[in-house]
Amino acid sequence: MEHKPAQTRLLKTVKHRRNAPGTSPGTVVAHPEAHPTKIRMMAYGLDEIIEQEMESVDQIKEFQNKWPVLWISVEGLKDVECLHQLGALFSLHPLMLEDIVSGHQRPKAEQYDSGLFIVARAALTLDDGIILEQISLVLGEGFVLSFQESSSNQLDPVRQRVRKKGGRIRKSRSDYLTYTLLDTIVDSFFPVLDKYNDRLDNYEDEVIQHPNRKMIDRIHGLKRDFLSLRRNVWPLRETLNTLIRERECFTDDTQLFLRDSYDHVVQIIDILDSHQERGSDLINIYLSSLSNKMNEVMKVLTMIATIFMPLGFIAGVYGMNFDREKSPFNMPELSWYLGYPFALGLMATTAILFLFYFKRKGWLSKK
C-alpha cells in the first residue's frame, strides 16, 4: 500500500482501493501493492504447543478440531486464492472476506454462522511516522483467525504469552485469546500518545521562544492527526461495548477482562481530547506570541518616534527664516558663536532625558 508522508504530520495516510460501484457484494479484490501472504499457526493446550509457518492452507486441516485452541495468523493480504481457501476451510462468509481485504472498514463486531467477526485498527509505529493498520479477527469454536495487512510484529507480545507455559492464556479458551489480541491492539495506541505528548511539550517551548509559520503548520498537522485517531478509536469503544454484552462467545470471566480493555479505550479517547485542547491552546499561544512580538516592535518604533519628535521640533524652530535685521528678537542665537553646538547639545540632552525616562519606566527592558 502506498504511504505518502506529510512533513507536518506523524500519522501517515495509507490509501486503500475500494471496489468499483456496482460490484457484487462479497467480491474479494486485493490491493495491487498488498504485502505477500504468510500464514502462521499456533495450536496449544495447557501442556503442549505447536507453532509453525504454513506453506499451504491444506496443512491446517491436520490441526483443525484437534487442539483446545487453534490460532491462524495471516500476515499480508495479497494472495486472494489463499484467503478463499481459508474461507472455505472455516466456512467464512464472503462478506467477511471482502471486509478483511478492503482495509478501510470501520471498527465493528458482527455475528455470523461461522463465528464472531471483529474489525479493529492498531497503531503501528514506523521509523518515519505512524500508520493505522486494520486487523480482522474471527472467533469460532476452538479457533481464532487474525488477518493483518502487513508482516508487522504487532501481535508478537501475544505469541510470547502463548509460548509461556502456565500462563492464563494457556489455561483458557479461544475467547480469551481473542480478548488478548484486542487488548494488544488497544494498548498499541498508548506509545503513540506518549510520542505525541513529547512533541506537544517541545512545541510549547518553541512556540513561545520562536513563533513562525512552520510552527503553526506543524500544530495544525498534529490536530489533524488527533482527529484521525479519534475517528478510528471511537468506533472501537462501541465495538468493545458490544462484545461485553455478547454472552454466547465470551465467558463471564473473559467479559471482565473486556471491560478493562473498554476502560483503556475510554482513557485513550480522553487523552486524545486533552491533546486536541493542547493543540488549540498552542495555536492561541502562537497568536499571542505574534501579538506580543508585534507589540515589542511597535514599542521600539514608538520610543524612537517619541525621541525624535522634540528633536524635530528644535530643528524646525531653528530652521525658520526670520530676518534678524528687522528685530533683535528674531533668533539672536543664530549669530551666536556657540549657537550650533548649543542646538546639538539641546537635542542630545533631550534624547538622553527621554531614554532615562524610558529606562525608569522599564520600557527598555526585555522582561
Side-chain angles (χ1 to χ4, degrees):
M1 274 150 281
E2 182 180 3
H3 296 175
K4 289 188 177 181
Q7 293 182 352
T8 59
R9 303 182 63 179
L10 280 176
L11 189 63
K12 307 302 176 182
T13 302
V14 181
K15 291 187 176 181
H16 300 89
R17 189 178 67 176
R18 297 176 182 268
N19 292 339
T23 303
S24 176
T27 302
V28 180
V29 180
H31 194 282
E33 299 181 9
H35 292 264
T37 302
K38 181 173 66 174
I39 302 177
R40 302 169 67 178
M41 184 275 299
M42 296 187 79
Y44 64 90
L46 181 60
D47 300 319
E48 294 182 272
I49 179 174
I50 295 179
E51 180 179 3
Q52 67 183 61
E53 187 171 328
M54 296 297 182
E55 299 294 334
S56 66
V57 175
D58 292 334
Q59 293 180 276
I60 301 176
K61 295 179 181 179
E62 60 181 287
F63 300 96
Q64 195 175 15
N65 300 322
K66 297 180 181 178
W67 289 80
V69 180
L70 176 65
W71 176 20
I72 303 298
S73 175
V74 180
E75 301 175 354
L77 306 175
K78 189 171 185 178
D79 192 343
V80 175
E81 181 61 29
C82 177
L83 297 177
H84 279 299
Q85 292 176 5
L86 274 174
L89 182 61
F90 291 95
S91 302
L92 303 184
H93 196 280
L95 291 177
M96 296 171 63
L97 295 177
E98 180 184 7
D99 290 346
I100 289 171
V101 174
S102 64
H104 57 75
Q105 293 298 312
R106 187 176 185 266
K108 61 182 179 179
E110 297 176 340
Q111 183 68 54
Y112 288 86
D113 293 337
S114 56
L116 182 64
F117 178 54
I118 304 170
V119 177
R121 287 195 174 276
L124 182 61
T125 303
L126 304 176
D127 293 336
D128 60 343
I130 300 163
I131 63 171
L132 298 179
E133 180 185 30
Q134 176 175 306
I135 299 180
S136 304
L137 304 176
V138 179
L139 169 61
E141 186 63 34
F143 70 88
V144 175
L145 308 179
S146 64
F147 299 86
Q148 295 177 252
E149 295 181 277
S150 62
S151 299
S152 64
N153 58 356
Q154 198 76 21
L155 302 181
D156 282 355
V158 181
R159 294 186 178 92
Q160 294 175 5
R161 292 174 61 180
V162 173
R163 297 184 187 112
K164 186 177 180 181
K165 187 176 181 180
R168 178 186 291 271
I169 196 169
R170 292 281 294 272
K171 302 175 183 178
S172 304
R173 302 189 317 179
S174 56
D175 64 322
Y176 188 82
L177 173 61
T178 303
Y179 149 73
T180 307
L181 294 171
L182 284 172
D183 188 61
T184 303
I185 292 171
V186 171
D187 289 348
S188 68
F189 285 90
F190 284 107
V192 172
L193 295 178
D194 291 339
K195 192 171 185 178
Y196 277 113
N197 185 68
D198 294 339
R199 178 158 292 198
L200 284 170
D201 290 340
N202 294 333
Y203 285 178
E204 284 179 350
D205 297 333
E206 190 174 350
V207 76
I208 296 175
Q209 300 175 2
H210 308 289
N212 54 67
R213 182 62 189 176
K214 292 182 179 179
M215 175 57 60
I216 199 66
D217 291 339
R218 295 179 192 145
I219 296 173
H220 278 301
L222 287 184
K223 287 175 64 66
R224 290 194 296 270
D225 285 356
F226 298 149
L227 288 175
S228 298
L229 289 171
R230 199 179 192 280
R231 279 199 303 269
N232 286 276
V233 174
W234 184 266
L236 189 56
R237 176 184 180 179
E238 300 174 1
T239 301
L240 284 169
N241 193 30
T242 301
L243 296 179
I244 291 173
R245 298 193 300 267
E246 182 61 54
R247 298 293 180 180
E248 296 181 3
C249 298
F250 295 96
T251 63
D252 293 339
D253 187 52
T254 303
Q255 285 179 342
L256 294 177
F257 289 100
L258 286 173
R259 293 178 190 174
D260 181 66
S261 294
Y262 178 84
D263 292 339
H264 288 179
V265 173
V266 173
Q267 183 180 356
I268 291 170
I269 294 175
D270 290 340
I271 294 174
L272 283 173
D273 290 341
S274 175
H275 285 355
Q276 185 76 6
E277 292 178 4
R278 288 182 65 186
S280 299
D281 292 340
L282 282 177
I283 293 178
N284 293 332
I285 294 174
Y286 168 78
L287 296 176
S288 298
S289 299
L290 286 184
S291 178
N292 292 335
K293 192 174 182 180
M294 181 63 67
N295 290 339
E296 289 294 325
V297 174
M298 292 302 298
K299 184 177 74 172
V300 172
L301 294 177
T302 301
M303 287 189 294
I304 293 174
T306 303
I307 291 173
F308 276 90
M309 282 175 61
L311 304 187
F313 173 77
I314 296 173
V317 168
Y318 285 103
M320 293 186 293
N321 297 320
F322 286 101
D323 192 353
R324 288 172 293 156
E325 296 180 357
K326 298 295 184 180
S327 170
F329 299 104
N330 289 346
M331 297 187 179
E333 314 86 285
L334 296 180
S335 59
W336 184 25
Y337 179 77
L338 298 177
Y340 180 64
F342 170 77
L344 293 179
L346 181 60
M347 292 181 183
T349 303
T350 303
I352 292 173
L353 289 175
F354 269 105
L355 290 174
F356 179 75
Y357 177 77
F358 293 154
K359 186 173 180 61
R360 287 290 300 271
K361 288 291 184 180
W363 296 347
L364 297 179
S365 175
K366 293 183 179 181
K367 296 182 181 180

